[in-house]
Amino acid sequence: MKKSLALLGAALMLTLPLGAMATPEQDLAEFRDFYKNRFPGTPFEDYINGVYSIDPASRAQWESIEEFAPYELNISNGEELFNKPFANGKTYGSCFENGGIGIRQNYPYFDTKRGEVVTLELAINECREANGEKPLKWKRGPIADISAYMAYTSRGNIFDIKIPDDPRAIAAYEQGKRHFYQKRGQLNFACADCHKFYAGNLIRADKLSPALGHLTHFPVYRSKWGGLGTVHRRYGGCNEMVRAKAFPAQSEEYRALEYFHTYMSNGLAVNGPGARK
């Protein structure tokens, strides 16, 4: 994994002329400007509400759902699991800064010692394994509940994902960016087709949500799922919808995508977990 990122970074440096590749900062400015121009009536800070930031017709219904949020039991369960001691007497709090409270906005990050992207769910399972416990399944269930509780303790904190001055970090960011814009599957769709260029349009009966702010409210309770799921569950579902083969949850590909995708939400507040259709 580390070798592949290093090779990708080297390839980018060798094949692109100096100044040809936009910096992450330039990408972020362009991303924000795109949505500002596309939805001039939507305040920047409101993009944490996903499609409801651009769809007044369904917002009132969603707000009524949030008054009795379907993920409340998940938060309670996540809190209980988070504080339940492992067999060795330690808890998840022993693995994270600030005891794991109020830190959602720091993930994912690029670990320069390991040379890879670390997501919150990856860190949760690594905490378990470091304390002699078996890892949890990635997409739903206890890991989503624990992540939801950690997100809940972080509500209002502002995302400020960093891209270190490290070729491997740039390579991971560019890998995620490429996935976001690259067409795939039999339907030949990219993430950007639905959630950037055609955001606000209808696909069947559903309005396409803007990618800006997507990662602020995960993990998310989806009515379609009848439960809570991680963002990698959502990534897999999106790939399958365009008839592309999904990558495994927590694969290098999806962690890179999450890295880019979350960086594009810098400056917005954590409001997870959330509820969506």
Side-chain angles (χ1 to χ4, degrees):
M1 184 183 300
K2 297 177 184 178
K3 184 177 180 181
S4 64
L5 282 175
L7 290 173
L8 177 58
L12 287 168
M13 300 299 181
L14 290 173
T15 58
L16 290 173
L18 187 63
M21 188 168 63
T23 66
E25 293 80 7
Q26 290 170 330
D27 286 339
L28 181 58
E30 183 278 330
F31 209 74
R32 290 174 176 173
D33 285 345
F34 178 88
Y35 292 101
K36 182 179 181 180
N37 292 329
R38 187 168 183 81
F39 305 109
T42 300
F44 172 70
E45 61 274 11
D46 202 49
Y47 279 100
I48 63 174
N49 296 317
V51 70
Y52 306 110
S53 66
I54 62 168
D55 186 14
S58 60
R59 181 162 182 148
Q61 182 181 10
W62 166 72
E63 287 177 342
S64 67
I65 291 172
E66 283 282 346
E67 289 181 10
F68 302 96
Y71 50 75
E72 286 184 350
L73 290 177
N74 298 98
I75 294 174
S76 297
N77 187 51
E79 181 178 11
E80 183 178 343
L81 291 170
F82 184 85
N83 291 310
K84 182 180 179 180
F86 301 128
N88 65 5
K90 294 184 178 181
T91 65
Y92 289 100
S94 66
C95 299
F96 296 92
E97 61 180 329
N98 200 41
I101 303 302
I103 62 169
R104 171 67 183 92
Q105 70 281 356
N106 300 330
Y107 288 84
Y109 70 92
F110 189 86
D111 189 319
T112 54
K113 292 182 180 179
R114 294 166 51 170
E116 62 181 326
V117 174
V118 177
T119 66
L120 181 57
E121 286 78 21
L122 181 65
I124 288 170
N125 259 346
E126 288 184 342
C127 177
R128 291 182 60 82
E129 293 181 284
N131 285 283
E133 304 288 333
K134 293 182 179 180
L136 301 169
K137 293 183 178 180
W138 293 118
K139 297 180 181 180
R140 68 192 82 180
I143 200 164
D145 290 350
I146 295 165
S147 180
Y149 168 67
M150 295 178 75
Y152 185 73
T153 70
S154 309
R155 283 188 169 184
N157 294 346
I158 304 299
F159 280 98
D160 186 20
I161 304 301
K162 305 294 186 183
I163 313 294
D165 186 15
D166 184 317
R168 300 168 301 171
I170 297 296
Y173 170 85
E174 290 294 332
Q175 182 181 8
K177 176 182 174 181
R178 186 172 62 254
H179 187 116
F180 184 80
Y181 286 103
Q182 187 176 58
K183 293 181 182 293
R184 64 187 69 248
Q186 293 179 348
L187 299 185
N188 200 35
F189 273 94
C191 306
D193 286 333
C194 288
H195 298 293
K196 185 176 181 185
F197 304 121
Y198 293 101
N201 288 9
L202 288 173
I203 183 166
R204 295 177 182 161
D206 295 324
K207 184 164 287 191
L208 294 169
S209 59
L212 180 61
H214 263 174
L215 272 291
T216 63
H217 49 263
F218 272 86
V220 73
Y221 185 102
R222 294 192 74 208
S223 300
K224 179 180 179 179
W225 293 339
L228 197 72
T230 65
V231 68
H232 287 211
R233 181 181 181 184
R234 188 72 179 104
Y235 285 161
C238 284
N239 278 174
E240 290 168 359
M241 284 177 67
V242 300
R243 299 177 188 171
K245 184 177 179 180
F247 292 90
Q250 296 303 319
S251 62
E252 179 185 306
E253 188 77 20
Y254 280 167
R255 282 187 287 133
L257 176 59
E258 184 179 346
Y259 192 40
F260 167 80
H261 203 178
T262 313
Y263 182 85
M264 289 298 121
S265 288
N266 271 357
L268 292 171
V270 177
N271 70 329
R276 297 294 185 268
K277 289 184 179 179

mmCIF file of all heavy atoms in Angstrom, residues 93-127:
data_model
loop_
_atom_site.group_PDB
_atom_site.id
_atom_site.type_symbol
_atom_site.label_atom_id
_atom_site.label_comp_id
_atom_site.label_asym_id
_atom_site.label_seq_id
_atom_site.Cartn_x
_atom_site.Cartn_y
_atom_site.Cartn_z
ATOM 1 N N GLY A 93 -11.437 5.136 24.635
ATOM 2 C CA GLY A 93 -10.865 6.435 24.973
ATOM 3 C C GLY A 93 -9.363 6.409 25.149
ATOM 4 O O GLY A 93 -8.693 7.439 24.967
ATOM 5 N N SER A 94 -8.806 5.244 25.467
ATOM 6 C CA SER A 94 -7.361 5.137 25.683
ATOM 7 C C SER A 94 -6.568 5.236 24.384
ATOM 8 O O SER A 94 -5.351 5.436 24.409
ATOM 9 C CB SER A 94 -7.028 3.809 26.375
ATOM 10 O OG SER A 94 -7.313 2.710 25.522
ATOM 11 N N CYS A 95 -7.264 5.102 23.248
ATOM 12 C CA CYS A 95 -6.582 5.079 21.948
ATOM 13 C C CYS A 95 -6.567 6.432 21.236
ATOM 14 O O CYS A 95 -5.853 6.596 20.249
ATOM 15 C CB CYS A 95 -7.261 4.066 21.029
ATOM 16 S SG CYS A 95 -7.235 2.375 21.618
ATOM 17 N N PHE A 96 -7.373 7.380 21.719
ATOM 18 C CA PHE A 96 -7.564 8.626 20.993
ATOM 19 C C PHE A 96 -7.183 9.837 21.838
ATOM 20 O O PHE A 96 -7.270 9.796 23.070
ATOM 21 C CB PHE A 96 -9.037 8.775 20.568
ATOM 22 C CG PHE A 96 -9.508 7.733 19.609
ATOM 23 C CD1 PHE A 96 -10.098 6.566 20.064
ATOM 24 C CD2 PHE A 96 -9.358 7.914 18.244
ATOM 25 C CE1 PHE A 96 -10.549 5.593 19.176
ATOM 26 C CE2 PHE A 96 -9.802 6.956 17.340
ATOM 27 C CZ PHE A 96 -10.391 5.786 17.812
ATOM 28 N N GLU A 97 -6.793 10.897 21.150
ATOM 29 C CA GLU A 97 -6.559 12.151 21.842
ATOM 30 C C GLU A 97 -7.868 12.633 22.467
ATOM 31 O O GLU A 97 -8.958 12.336 21.971
ATOM 32 C CB GLU A 97 -6.013 13.209 20.876
ATOM 33 C CG GLU A 97 -6.948 13.548 19.734
ATOM 34 C CD GLU A 97 -6.374 14.597 18.815
ATOM 35 O OE1 GLU A 97 -5.621 15.459 19.288
ATOM 36 O OE2 GLU A 97 -6.696 14.553 17.606
ATOM 37 N N ASN A 98 -7.760 13.350 23.555
ATOM 38 C CA ASN A 98 -8.928 13.881 24.270
ATOM 39 C C ASN A 98 -9.917 12.787 24.658
ATOM 40 O O ASN A 98 -11.119 13.026 24.755
ATOM 41 C CB ASN A 98 -9.634 14.955 23.442
ATOM 42 C CG ASN A 98 -10.517 15.862 24.285
ATOM 43 O OD1 ASN A 98 -10.127 16.259 25.389
ATOM 44 N ND2 ASN A 98 -11.682 16.195 23.790
ATOM 45 N N GLY A 99 -9.393 11.576 24.847
ATOM 46 C CA GLY A 99 -10.254 10.467 25.231
ATOM 47 C C GLY A 99 -11.283 10.102 24.183
ATOM 48 O O GLY A 99 -12.281 9.434 24.473
ATOM 49 N N GLY A 100 -11.055 10.530 22.919
ATOM 50 C CA GLY A 100 -11.966 10.206 21.832
ATOM 51 C C GLY A 100 -13.179 11.112 21.730
ATOM 52 O O GLY A 100 -14.043 10.890 20.874
ATOM 53 N N ILE A 101 -13.247 12.129 22.580
ATOM 54 C CA ILE A 101 -14.401 13.029 22.598
ATOM 55 C C ILE A 101 -14.099 14.294 21.792
ATOM 56 O O ILE A 101 -13.070 14.938 21.978
ATOM 57 C CB ILE A 101 -14.772 13.410 24.045
ATOM 58 C CG1 ILE A 101 -15.044 12.154 24.875
ATOM 59 C CG2 ILE A 101 -15.967 14.350 24.061
ATOM 60 C CD1 ILE A 101 -16.150 11.265 24.343
ATOM 61 N N GLY A 102 -15.023 14.654 20.889
ATOM 62 C CA GLY A 102 -14.884 15.902 20.133
ATOM 63 C C GLY A 102 -13.765 15.904 19.119
ATOM 64 O O GLY A 102 -13.179 16.958 18.857
ATOM 65 N N ILE A 103 -13.488 14.756 18.491
ATOM 66 C CA ILE A 103 -12.350 14.691 17.563
ATOM 67 C C ILE A 103 -12.741 14.267 16.139
ATOM 68 O O ILE A 103 -11.863 14.084 15.297
ATOM 69 C CB ILE A 103 -11.269 13.733 18.095
ATOM 70 C CG1 ILE A 103 -11.832 12.309 18.206
ATOM 71 C CG2 ILE A 103 -10.717 14.214 19.433
ATOM 72 C CD1 ILE A 103 -10.760 11.259 18.467
ATOM 73 N N ARG A 104 -14.022 14.108 15.866
ATOM 74 C CA ARG A 104 -14.451 13.631 14.546
ATOM 75 C C ARG A 104 -13.888 14.483 13.419
ATOM 76 O O ARG A 104 -13.531 13.972 12.342
ATOM 77 C CB ARG A 104 -15.990 13.625 14.485
ATOM 78 C CG ARG A 104 -16.575 13.364 13.090
ATOM 79 C CD ARG A 104 -16.274 11.955 12.620
ATOM 80 N NE ARG A 104 -16.758 11.726 11.264
ATOM 81 C CZ ARG A 104 -16.034 11.909 10.162
ATOM 82 N NH1 ARG A 104 -14.775 12.345 10.244
ATOM 83 N NH2 ARG A 104 -16.542 11.654 8.977
ATOM 84 N N GLN A 105 -13.786 15.788 13.644
ATOM 85 C CA GLN A 105 -13.361 16.713 12.589
ATOM 86 C C GLN A 105 -11.915 16.508 12.158
ATOM 87 O O GLN A 105 -11.479 17.069 11.162
ATOM 88 C CB GLN A 105 -13.556 18.156 13.049
ATOM 89 C CG GLN A 105 -12.615 18.621 14.151
ATOM 90 C CD GLN A 105 -13.027 18.140 15.535
ATOM 91 O OE1 GLN A 105 -14.063 17.510 15.699
ATOM 92 N NE2 GLN A 105 -12.229 18.447 16.541
ATOM 93 N N ASN A 106 -11.163 15.694 12.892
ATOM 94 C CA ASN A 106 -9.760 15.451 12.566
ATOM 95 C C ASN A 106 -9.565 14.260 11.632
ATOM 96 O O ASN A 106 -8.425 13.953 11.255
ATOM 97 C CB ASN A 106 -8.963 15.206 13.846
ATOM 98 C CG ASN A 106 -9.028 16.382 14.799
ATOM 99 O OD1 ASN A 106 -9.154 17.529 14.366
ATOM 100 N ND2 ASN A 106 -8.956 16.119 16.087
ATOM 101 N N TYR A 107 -10.644 13.606 11.271
ATOM 102 C CA TYR A 107 -10.556 12.390 10.437
ATOM 103 C C TYR A 107 -11.282 12.572 9.120
ATOM 104 O O TYR A 107 -12.314 13.244 9.085
ATOM 105 C CB TYR A 107 -11.181 11.202 11.201
ATOM 106 C CG TYR A 107 -10.336 10.721 12.354
ATOM 107 C CD1 TYR A 107 -10.418 11.343 13.593
ATOM 108 C CD2 TYR A 107 -9.459 9.648 12.196
ATOM 109 C CE1 TYR A 107 -9.643 10.910 14.662
ATOM 110 C CE2 TYR A 107 -8.687 9.204 13.265
ATOM 111 C CZ TYR A 107 -8.788 9.838 14.490
ATOM 112 O OH TYR A 107 -8.016 9.402 15.547
ATOM 113 N N PRO A 108 -10.716 11.952 8.071
ATOM 114 C CA PRO A 108 -9.491 11.165 8.025
ATOM 115 C C PRO A 108 -8.258 12.075 7.993
ATOM 116 O O PRO A 108 -8.363 13.253 7.651
ATOM 117 C CB PRO A 108 -9.622 10.382 6.728
ATOM 118 C CG PRO A 108 -10.443 11.269 5.846
ATOM 119 C CD PRO A 108 -11.407 11.973 6.767
ATOM 120 N N TYR A 109 -7.131 11.503 8.326
ATOM 121 C CA TYR A 109 -5.869 12.246 8.256
ATOM 122 C C TYR A 109 -4.816 11.364 7.611
ATOM 123 O O TYR A 109 -4.965 10.136 7.552
ATOM 124 C CB TYR A 109 -5.411 12.707 9.641
ATOM 125 C CG TYR A 109 -4.940 11.599 10.552
ATOM 126 C CD1 TYR A 109 -3.598 11.236 10.596
ATOM 127 C CD2 TYR A 109 -5.830 10.918 11.386
ATOM 128 C CE1 TYR A 109 -3.158 10.210 11.438
ATOM 129 C CE2 TYR A 109 -5.402 9.901 12.218
ATOM 130 C CZ TYR A 109 -4.063 9.552 12.240
ATOM 131 O OH TYR A 109 -3.634 8.534 13.059
ATOM 132 N N PHE A 110 -3.762 11.993 7.107
ATOM 133 C CA PHE A 110 -2.673 11.228 6.515
ATOM 134 C C PHE A 110 -1.582 11.053 7.555
ATOM 135 O O PHE A 110 -1.029 12.022 8.060
ATOM 136 C CB PHE A 110 -2.108 11.911 5.261
ATOM 137 C CG PHE A 110 -1.147 11.034 4.513
ATOM 138 C CD1 PHE A 110 -1.626 10.118 3.578
ATOM 139 C CD2 PHE A 110 0.214 11.075 4.766
ATOM 140 C CE1 PHE A 110 -0.762 9.273 2.902
ATOM 141 C CE2 PHE A 110 1.091 10.229 4.098
ATOM 142 C CZ PHE A 110 0.606 9.330 3.163
ATOM 143 N N ASP A 111 -1.297 9.815 7.886
ATOM 144 C CA ASP A 111 -0.271 9.480 8.871
ATOM 145 C C ASP A 111 1.069 9.393 8.146
ATOM 146 O O ASP A 111 1.315 8.462 7.381
ATOM 147 C CB ASP A 111 -0.613 8.144 9.540
ATOM 148 C CG ASP A 111 0.289 7.829 10.725
ATOM 149 O OD1 ASP A 111 1.512 8.087 10.621
ATOM 150 O OD2 ASP A 111 -0.207 7.312 11.733
ATOM 151 N N THR A 112 1.931 10.372 8.369
ATOM 152 C CA THR A 112 3.204 10.417 7.653
ATOM 153 C C THR A 112 4.177 9.332 8.122
ATOM 154 O O THR A 112 5.102 8.975 7.382
ATOM 155 C CB THR A 112 3.873 11.800 7.821
ATOM 156 O OG1 THR A 112 3.981 12.108 9.220
ATOM 157 C CG2 THR A 112 3.043 12.883 7.139
ATOM 158 N N LYS A 113 3.982 8.814 9.327
ATOM 159 C CA LYS A 113 4.842 7.726 9.792
ATOM 160 C C LYS A 113 4.475 6.423 9.085
ATOM 161 O O LYS A 113 5.348 5.651 8.689
ATOM 162 C CB LYS A 113 4.722 7.561 11.311
ATOM 163 C CG LYS A 113 5.311 8.719 12.098
ATOM 164 C CD LYS A 113 5.198 8.466 13.599
ATOM 165 C CE LYS A 113 5.791 9.627 14.383
ATOM 166 N NZ LYS A 113 5.674 9.413 15.849
ATOM 167 N N ARG A 114 3.188 6.188 8.934
ATOM 168 C CA ARG A 114 2.720 4.969 8.287
ATOM 169 C C ARG A 114 2.625 5.102 6.776
ATOM 170 O O ARG A 114 2.614 4.105 6.054
ATOM 171 C CB ARG A 114 1.348 4.590 8.843
ATOM 172 C CG ARG A 114 1.373 4.210 10.291
ATOM 173 C CD ARG A 114 -0.010 4.164 10.916
ATOM 174 N NE ARG A 114 -0.969 3.355 10.158
ATOM 175 C CZ ARG A 114 -2.166 3.028 10.616
ATOM 176 N NH1 ARG A 114 -2.546 3.440 11.822
ATOM 177 N NH2 ARG A 114 -2.979 2.293 9.898
ATOM 178 N N GLY A 115 2.494 6.322 6.305
ATOM 179 C CA GLY A 115 2.389 6.546 4.872
ATOM 180 C C GLY A 115 1.037 6.195 4.299
ATOM 181 O O GLY A 115 0.939 5.735 3.160
ATOM 182 N N GLU A 116 -0.038 6.425 5.081
ATOM 183 C CA GLU A 116 -1.364 6.084 4.587
ATOM 184 C C GLU A 116 -2.439 6.926 5.261
ATOM 185 O O GLU A 116 -2.210 7.547 6.298
ATOM 186 C CB GLU A 116 -1.653 4.599 4.799
ATOM 187 C CG GLU A 116 -1.651 4.161 6.238
ATOM 188 C CD GLU A 116 -1.925 2.659 6.386
ATOM 189 O OE1 GLU A 116 -2.691 2.106 5.579
ATOM 190 O OE2 GLU A 116 -1.366 2.054 7.325
ATOM 191 N N VAL A 117 -3.632 6.904 4.650
ATOM 192 C CA VAL A 117 -4.788 7.613 5.182
ATOM 193 C C VAL A 117 -5.419 6.779 6.294
ATOM 194 O O VAL A 117 -5.639 5.576 6.143
ATOM 195 C CB VAL A 117 -5.823 7.874 4.076
ATOM 196 C CG1 VAL A 117 -7.098 8.489 4.665
ATOM 197 C CG2 VAL A 117 -5.241 8.787 2.998
ATOM 198 N N VAL A 118 -5.717 7.444 7.415
ATOM 199 C CA VAL A 118 -6.372 6.790 8.541
ATOM 200 C C VAL A 118 -7.751 7.401 8.716
ATOM 201 O O VAL A 118 -7.888 8.596 8.967
ATOM 202 C CB VAL A 118 -5.549 6.955 9.840
ATOM 203 C CG1 VAL A 118 -6.284 6.316 11.022
ATOM 204 C CG2 VAL A 118 -4.163 6.334 9.678
ATOM 205 N N THR A 119 -8.783 6.586 8.567
ATOM 206 C CA THR A 119 -10.155 7.033 8.786
ATOM 207 C C THR A 119 -10.553 6.764 10.234
ATOM 208 O O THR A 119 -9.870 6.022 10.946
ATOM 209 C CB THR A 119 -11.130 6.285 7.858
ATOM 210 O OG1 THR A 119 -11.152 4.897 8.236
ATOM 211 C CG2 THR A 119 -10.710 6.404 6.388
ATOM 212 N N LEU A 120 -11.667 7.329 10.659
ATOM 213 C CA LEU A 120 -12.113 7.112 12.034
ATOM 214 C C LEU A 120 -12.462 5.646 12.267
ATOM 215 O O LEU A 120 -12.087 5.067 13.288
ATOM 216 C CB LEU A 120 -13.318 7.997 12.353
ATOM 217 C CG LEU A 120 -13.862 7.882 13.783
ATOM 218 C CD1 LEU A 120 -12.784 8.186 14.812
ATOM 219 C CD2 LEU A 120 -15.059 8.805 13.971
ATOM 220 N N GLU A 121 -13.159 5.029 11.321
ATOM 221 C CA GLU A 121 -13.530 3.619 11.490
ATOM 222 C C GLU A 121 -12.298 2.725 11.510
ATOM 223 O O GLU A 121 -12.246 1.748 12.271
ATOM 224 C CB GLU A 121 -14.496 3.184 10.389
ATOM 225 C CG GLU A 121 -15.909 3.708 10.542
ATOM 226 C CD GLU A 121 -16.079 5.154 10.119
ATOM 227 O OE1 GLU A 121 -15.226 5.658 9.347
ATOM 228 O OE2 GLU A 121 -17.046 5.808 10.555
ATOM 229 N N LEU A 122 -11.296 3.050 10.690
ATOM 230 C CA LEU A 122 -10.052 2.284 10.726
ATOM 231 C C LEU A 122 -9.405 2.398 12.099
ATOM 232 O O LEU A 122 -8.942 1.404 12.678
ATOM 233 C CB LEU A 122 -9.091 2.778 9.643
ATOM 234 C CG LEU A 122 -7.738 2.050 9.555
ATOM 235 C CD1 LEU A 122 -7.929 0.592 9.146
ATOM 236 C CD2 LEU A 122 -6.808 2.757 8.579
ATOM 237 N N ALA A 123 -9.384 3.618 12.642
ATOM 238 C CA ALA A 123 -8.783 3.836 13.959
ATOM 239 C C ALA A 123 -9.553 3.105 15.056
ATOM 240 O O ALA A 123 -8.954 2.592 16.014
ATOM 241 C CB ALA A 123 -8.729 5.330 14.266
ATOM 242 N N ILE A 124 -10.866 3.023 14.930
ATOM 243 C CA ILE A 124 -11.681 2.295 15.915
ATOM 244 C C ILE A 124 -11.293 0.816 15.935
ATOM 245 O O ILE A 124 -11.079 0.226 16.997
ATOM 246 C CB ILE A 124 -13.176 2.468 15.605
ATOM 247 C CG1 ILE A 124 -13.630 3.894 15.931
ATOM 248 C CG2 ILE A 124 -14.018 1.460 16.391
ATOM 249 C CD1 ILE A 124 -15.019 4.242 15.436
ATOM 250 N N ASN A 125 -11.194 0.213 14.763
ATOM 251 C CA ASN A 125 -10.843 -1.204 14.720
ATOM 252 C C ASN A 125 -9.394 -1.443 15.120
ATOM 253 O O ASN A 125 -9.075 -2.459 15.744
ATOM 254 C CB ASN A 125 -11.120 -1.787 13.332
ATOM 255 C CG ASN A 125 -12.414 -2.577 13.300
ATOM 256 O OD1 ASN A 125 -12.985 -2.925 14.336
ATOM 257 N ND2 ASN A 125 -12.896 -2.877 12.097
ATOM 258 N N GLU A 126 -8.509 -0.523 14.781
ATOM 259 C CA GLU A 126 -7.125 -0.681 15.204
ATOM 260 C C GLU A 126 -7.007 -0.575 16.721
ATOM 261 O O GLU A 126 -6.172 -1.254 17.338
ATOM 262 C CB GLU A 126 -6.240 0.359 14.508
ATOM 263 C CG GLU A 126 -6.037 0.057 13.040
ATOM 264 C CD GLU A 126 -5.101 1.006 12.342
ATOM 265 O OE1 GLU A 126 -4.851 2.115 12.872
ATOM 266 O OE2 GLU A 126 -4.615 0.659 11.251
ATOM 267 N N CYS A 127 -7.856 0.245 17.311
ATOM 268 C CA CYS A 127 -7.890 0.346 18.773
ATOM 269 C C CYS A 127 -8.297 -0.995 19.373
ATOM 270 O O CYS A 127 -7.709 -1.469 20.349
ATOM 271 C CB CYS A 127 -8.863 1.439 19.197
ATOM 272 S SG CYS A 127 -9.075 1.607 20.985
#
